[in-house]
Amino acid sequence: MSFDTRNGTRGARQPRAGRLMRWMNTMAAKRIRRKGGRFMGFNALILTTIGARSGTERTNPVGYFPAGDEDGWLIVASAAGAPKNPAWYYNIAAHPDKVQIELAGRTIPVSAEQLHGPEREQAWRQITTAAPRFAQYQVKTDRELPIIRLTSRPG
């Protein structure tokens, strides 16, 4: 499936991606690695992507939801309801087979696929039932929040 979600025209204001945000992401990733996979009330993993333009490895802590099997995870490119997709969304779109996650002390190579249609709707119901704040994020923006399924792949 394609990664085709365009930026919206309205949404929640996001802080600039600068030194402070990089530091916060680094601290959150360290905490997740040290204390386990929960952060800000979510199950969390560390997502590693390859920069779409730079080719540089990037890491971001993100909340996840089980994808129905033990080797699958759902993540939402919500950016808390911002009008723009998070940078990691474009990194995944550019290199969907060069993604890895850190979870429970393990590094797992994964493939990424954006969900569409009925598959997305079923995942969205699961996510908003488990974490109603995602429904609030959707109300803030006019873009459809992308849902990405990560599945483990041989290493």
Side-chain angles (χ1 to χ4, degrees):
M1 289 276 156
S2 61
F3 290 82
D4 57 2
T5 301
R6 293 177 180 242
N7 288 327
T9 59
R10 66 173 175 79
R13 191 165 163 230
Q14 289 293 296
R16 287 183 176 234
R19 263 189 259 181
L20 179 61
M21 285 305 294
R22 282 191 301 273
W23 179 82
M24 288 173 51
N25 276 347
T26 299
M27 291 298 106
K30 283 181 181 179
R31 183 174 186 267
I32 292 165
R33 286 180 180 120
R34 189 176 63 248
K35 293 190 175 192
R38 286 200 63 84
F39 187 73
M40 294 180 60
F42 288 107
N43 289 324
L45 56 80
I46 299 168
L47 178 71
T48 303
T49 60
I50 303 298
R53 290 183 286 190
S54 69
T56 304
E57 194 172 89
R58 307 285 186 195
T59 60
N60 296 93
V62 296
Y64 77 89
F65 303 88
D69 54 32
E70 65 183 60
D71 287 334
W73 305 268
L74 299 173
I75 59 176
V76 182
S78 68
K84 294 183 179 181
N85 294 310
W88 60 256
Y89 172 81
Y90 299 105
N91 296 345
I92 289 175
H95 307 287
D97 290 324
K98 293 183 180 178
V99 179
Q100 64 183 21
I101 62 173
E102 291 177 55
L103 185 64
R106 298 180 357 201
T107 299
I108 305 165
V110 294
S111 293
E113 169 190 23
Q114 183 171 338
L115 301 182
H116 296 280
E119 203 172 23
R120 184 202 179 276
E121 292 307 314
Q122 180 180 359
W124 182 246
R125 281 191 300 276
Q126 173 193 340
I127 290 165
T128 55
T129 298
R133 89 169 66 163
F134 279 92
Q136 295 168 353
Y137 296 158
Q138 183 61 77
V139 170
K140 291 178 181 181
T141 185
D142 57 350
R143 69 182 168 93
E144 182 177 78
L145 301 181
I147 300 174
I148 313 297
R149 179 176 41 224
L150 305 172
T151 53
S152 63
R153 62 179 164 78

